[in-house]
């Protein structure tokens, strides 16, 4: 491992509406994961910022949507090398409820170039998803096998604004 590793803690939203998952597509400005991959909305926690505050801020920037509620669901770590930088990423996954509205990228020149509700049946772990998004999909599948998918889907539904 490299002597100089960038450490980052990020908060990510798992938002499910019906049988669709809210995802963002990474742009060339993505610092950690490769551009073109579909990824979870969310991102790095700034110094002194609480994780849910970062999640709310990142959701607004990347999707234009407002956070109504968030519940910590899981955490994962990743070791990634991109643009000659080695990253040690800790990802906090939150199941979220969002206020109503249509998603749209509002951040200019950020790490996101698209946002969409993508049918769960259309998602492929290895070819189109970032490692964090693939893990989020596995978390959803595990919840479904354990019989908890209804509570996750209820928790992540969009609430009226």
């Amino acid at each position: 491992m490299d002597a100089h590793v960038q450490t980052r803690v990020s908060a990510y939203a798992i938002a499910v509406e019906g049988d669709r998952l809210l995802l963002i597509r990474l742009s060339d400005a993505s610092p950690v994961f490769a551009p073109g991959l579909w990824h979870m909305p969310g991102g790095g926690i700034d110094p002194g910022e609480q994780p849910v505050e970062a999640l709310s801020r990142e959701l607004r920037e990347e999707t234009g949507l407002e956070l109504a509620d968030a519940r910590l669901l899981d955490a994962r770590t990743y070791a990634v090398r991109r643009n000659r930088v080695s990253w040690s990423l800790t990802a906090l996954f939150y199941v979220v409820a969002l206020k109503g509205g249509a998603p749209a990228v509002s951040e200019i020149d950020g790490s996101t170039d698209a946002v969409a509700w993508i049918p769960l049946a259309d998602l492929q772990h290895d070819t189109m998803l970032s490692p964090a998004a693939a893990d989020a999909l596995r978390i959803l599948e595990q919840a479904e096998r354990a019989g908890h998918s209804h509570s996750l889907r209820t928790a992540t539904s969009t609430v009226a604004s």
Side-chain angles (χ1 to χ4, degrees):
M1 186 181 260
D2 293 334
H4 300 305
V5 175
Q6 294 286 331
T7 300
R8 182 175 189 169
V9 179
S10 294
Y12 295 119
I14 298 177
V16 178
E17 186 175 76
D19 288 328
R20 302 179 304 163
L21 180 64
L22 183 65
L23 293 173
I24 55 108
R25 189 176 59 210
L26 296 171
S27 72
D28 288 335
S30 171
V32 180
F33 296 116
L37 293 176
W38 288 94
H39 187 55
M40 304 309 300
I45 301 169
D46 292 337
E49 188 176 37
Q50 295 301 315
V52 173
E53 292 171 347
L55 182 63
S56 180
R57 175 182 49 77
E58 291 283 349
L59 273 167
R60 274 192 313 278
E61 292 171 0
E62 295 176 347
T63 71
L65 299 173
E66 295 289 329
L67 182 66
D69 190 38
R71 180 172 43 97
L72 183 62
L73 187 61
D74 204 345
R76 304 284 168 97
T77 60
Y78 305 91
V80 180
R81 184 160 175 83
R82 174 158 158 69
N83 294 333
R84 296 183 304 248
V85 177
S86 292
W87 290 92
S88 174
L89 173 69
T90 299
L92 306 176
F93 292 94
Y94 288 85
V95 62
V96 302
L98 303 171
K99 295 180 182 176
V105 178
S106 61
E107 181 181 43
I108 305 215
D109 297 326
S111 61
T112 301
D113 67 13
V115 59
W117 288 102
I118 300 181
L120 290 166
D122 293 349
L123 297 175
Q124 301 167 10
H125 292 270
D126 56 348
T127 59
M128 65 186 289
L129 299 177
S130 71
D135 277 347
L137 192 56
R138 281 190 282 276
I139 290 167
L140 286 173
E141 289 168 351
Q142 288 169 355
E144 188 169 300
R145 284 193 300 274
H148 300 300
S149 65
H150 176 72
S151 63
L152 281 180
R153 290 171 197 230
T154 301
T156 61
S157 62
T158 305
V159 296
S161 45

